[in-house]
């Protein structure tokens, strides 16, 4: 009995130590990042890629003035080599997804030789190279790509963390859940909870629970739709609940039940899963792990982040999935709850680049 109690105490001590380390490291990285950004002068950028991709990056860039980056040139054709003259006059070269491998290699080599910073927007196939091991056949070097599937050890540790965090979270969130349930019942007639079928690990379907934020029978006539900014289906109270993410609290039961994890890709409806898999076959790899209440895409992305960009974040998380990574994302999620830009909807106005103004 004494040994069992001492072992349990040691486990809790280790868990608390890991949490404190993650809090310290996350805080230190954020402070260092802010200090580094504040000391930088405005840097000029060259965008290289298709016009659609450049427009996508441009619209994100213009909503992030704190980055101190200014678009100077756009190059949509690398065949004539004019991009080299533009690259010599800028500080950063951003290479968009979809470019040919040879063009990417030429630009990266040029930038390294001339001391230019390079930002490469990854394609899904490139994510498999993260953490690849060097191998060979005779004297031919090659990469042995890592599989996008966490080991049994990692999955076991994640499950232990899920049970501990969800149990503590349920106790702490109970007053908020009760007050939210009462507010929903008073403010809008209908059920308090809303359930929906989602796709989980290995494609297994399960029923997710949320506080209802939309009108009753919101999709009766429209059919399945993704949420939009100023969505008329969302109630007035529902907008507030979504902004502070209180509508997600009932999913703690899904975690305790084993259908979900605290950290992982957000579960999607089978209707949209089938659609996304047809457009992006790599989307199926998201189901190698349990879906989560929060995840890397929720920390770094927004409601209006494109499905492909969210997929990149999700696959990167699966690549480096660990209990420390989960703790770091949980801590960062708290910061995201108080960030207005993280709750932007899909209806944000897009502005196309005047290519003639920036063309090389």
């Amino acid at each position: 009995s004494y040994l069992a109690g001492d072992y349990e105490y040691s486990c809790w001590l280790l868990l608390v130590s890991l949490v404190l380390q993650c809090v310290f490291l996350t805080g230190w990285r954020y402070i260092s990042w802010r200090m580094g950004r504040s000391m930088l002068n405005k840097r000029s950028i060259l965008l290289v890629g298709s016009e659609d991709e450049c427009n996508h990056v441009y619209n994100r860039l213009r909503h992030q003035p704190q980055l101190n980056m200014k678009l100077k040139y756009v190059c949509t054709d690398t065949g004539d080599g004019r991009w080299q003259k533009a690259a010599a006059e800028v500080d950063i070269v951003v290479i968009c997804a979809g470019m040919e491998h040879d063009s990417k290699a030429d630009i990266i080599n040029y930038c390294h030789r001339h001391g230019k910073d390079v930002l490469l927007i990854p394609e899904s196939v490139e994510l498999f190279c993260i953490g690849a091991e060097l191998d060979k056949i005779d004297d031919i070097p090659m990469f042995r790509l890592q599989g996008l599937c966490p080991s049994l050890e990692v999955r076991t540790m994640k499950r232990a963390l899920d049970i501990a965090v969800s149990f503590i979270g349920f106790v702490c969130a109970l007053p908020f859940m009760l007050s939210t349930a009462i507010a929903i019942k008073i403010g809008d007639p209908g059920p308090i909870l809303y359930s929906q079928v989602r796709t989980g690990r290995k494609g297994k379907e399960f029923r997710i629970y949320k506080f209802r934020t939309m009108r009753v029978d919101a999709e009766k006539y429209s059919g399945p739709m993704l949420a939009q900014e100023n969505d008329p289906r969302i109630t007035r109270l529902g907008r507030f609940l979504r902004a502070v993410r209180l509508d997600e609290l009932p999913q703690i039961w899904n975690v305790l039940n084993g259908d979900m994890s605290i950290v992982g890709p957000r579960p999607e409806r089978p209707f949209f899963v089938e659609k996304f898999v047809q457009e992006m076959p790599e989307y199926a790899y998201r189901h190698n792990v349990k879906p989560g209440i929060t995840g890397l895409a929720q920390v770094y992305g927004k409601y209006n982040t494109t499905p492909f960009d969210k997929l990149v974040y999700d696959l990167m998380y699966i690549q480096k999935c660990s209990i420390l990574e989960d703790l770091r994302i949980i801590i960062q999620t708290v910061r995201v709850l108080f960030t207005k830009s993280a709750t932007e909807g899909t209806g944000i106005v897009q502005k196309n680049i005047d290519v003639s103004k920036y063309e090389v």
Side-chain angles (χ1 to χ4, degrees):
S1 174
Y2 174 78
L3 292 176
D6 190 50
Y7 176 76
E8 183 179 355
Y9 173 77
S10 299
C11 290
W12 278 107
L13 191 63
L14 178 61
L15 181 60
V16 171
S17 175
L18 289 174
V19 171
L20 291 177
Q21 288 181 48
C22 287
V23 171
F24 175 77
L25 289 174
T26 302
W28 173 251
R29 287 175 180 174
Y30 179 72
I31 293 172
S32 300
W33 179 80
R34 294 291 297 184
M35 291 177 62
R37 290 294 182 189
S38 64
M39 292 186 292
L40 285 175
N41 296 322
K42 182 161 287 189
R43 295 171 294 170
S44 55
I45 287 183
L46 162 65
L47 285 181
V48 185
S50 67
E51 188 169 340
D52 287 342
E53 286 291 333
C54 289
N55 273 318
H56 176 57
V57 177
Y58 168 71
N59 278 288
R60 295 304 184 188
L61 187 63
R62 69 189 181 93
H63 284 94
Q64 301 293 326
Q66 75 278 7
L67 297 179
N68 288 328
M69 295 181 182
K70 180 181 179 182
L71 179 61
K72 187 172 184 179
Y73 292 116
V74 173
C75 180
T76 57
D77 183 7
T78 59
D80 54 13
R82 287 185 298 172
W83 60 267
Q84 294 188 18
K85 181 179 178 181
E89 300 178 18
V90 300
D91 304 305
I92 304 173
V93 177
V94 178
I95 305 175
C96 297
M99 290 187 60
E100 294 182 357
H101 175 77
D102 290 344
S103 297
K104 287 183 180 181
D106 289 342
I107 296 171
I108 292 172
N109 289 332
Y110 175 89
C111 292
H112 284 173
R113 289 198 308 268
H114 295 83
K116 304 294 181 180
D117 289 338
V118 183
L119 296 178
L120 175 66
I121 299 177
E123 298 185 61
S124 53
V125 68
E126 293 170 338
L127 297 175
F128 287 90
C129 298
I130 298 176
E133 295 180 359
L134 183 63
D135 205 337
K136 68 184 182 70
I137 294 180
D138 195 14
D139 60 346
I140 303 174
M142 58 187 61
F143 280 137
R144 182 182 295 276
L145 303 185
Q146 300 296 312
L148 286 175
C149 186
S151 65
L152 176 61
E153 179 185 4
V154 171
R155 297 200 305 270
T156 302
M157 294 181 68
K158 272 179 61 69
R159 182 58 183 158
L161 179 67
D162 288 340
I163 294 174
V165 173
S166 57
F167 180 76
I168 296 172
F170 177 79
V171 174
C172 296
L174 188 57
F176 299 99
M177 295 174 71
L178 291 175
S179 58
T180 300
I182 295 172
I184 292 174
K185 201 63 181 178
I186 294 175
D188 185 59
I192 295 172
L193 293 177
Y194 173 71
S195 67
Q196 197 175 63
V197 174
R198 298 291 177 98
T199 303
R201 184 170 180 261
K202 295 184 177 181
K204 178 183 176 182
E205 295 183 358
F206 69 98
R207 189 164 290 276
I208 195 175
Y209 296 95
K210 303 173 70 174
F211 282 122
R212 184 173 60 85
T213 58
M214 290 189 176
R215 295 181 288 104
V216 178
D217 298 328
E219 294 183 342
K220 182 177 181 180
Y221 301 105
S222 64
M225 291 177 57
L226 294 173
Q228 303 178 17
E229 190 175 26
N230 299 321
D231 197 321
R233 301 172 299 166
I234 303 176
T235 64
R236 185 179 302 178
L237 175 62
R239 296 187 192 282
F240 170 76
L241 295 178
R242 287 185 172 220
V244 296
R245 310 292 174 91
L246 285 176
D247 61 317
E248 311 284 358
L249 289 179
Q251 291 169 34
I252 295 175
W253 166 251
N254 290 112
V255 176
L256 289 170
N257 194 38
D259 292 325
M260 291 179 62
S261 177
I262 295 293
V263 180
R266 285 297 296 163
E268 194 51 83
R269 285 184 276 181
F271 173 85
F272 292 113
V273 168
E274 183 178 351
K275 176 175 178 290
F276 289 146
V277 169
Q278 290 178 354
E279 297 173 357
M280 303 173 289
E282 299 86 356
Y283 193 87
Y285 293 118
R286 296 173 80 252
H287 303 131
N288 287 351
V289 297
K290 289 181 181 180
I293 296 178
T294 185
L296 201 62
Q298 284 63 52
V299 169
Y300 291 116
K302 306 174 183 179
Y303 277 146
N304 61 352
T305 300
T306 64
F308 175 78
D309 289 340
K310 287 182 178 179
L311 173 62
V312 171
Y313 284 127
D314 289 335
L315 296 184
M316 289 181 66
Y317 165 74
I318 297 173
Q319 277 275 19
K320 54 183 180 179
C321 178
S322 69
I323 190 171
L324 287 176
E325 181 69 10
D326 281 12
L327 288 171
R328 187 176 67 86
I329 292 175
I330 291 171
I331 295 168
Q332 289 185 316
T333 300
V334 178
R335 175 183 59 83
V336 170
L337 293 177
F338 300 97
T339 304
K340 183 179 183 299
S341 62
T343 60
E344 290 177 354
T346 56
I348 189 169
V349 178
Q350 300 291 310
K351 181 180 179 182
N352 290 335
I353 303 175
D354 182 2
V355 177
S356 61
K357 180 179 177 182
Y358 298 102
E359 188 68 61
V360 175

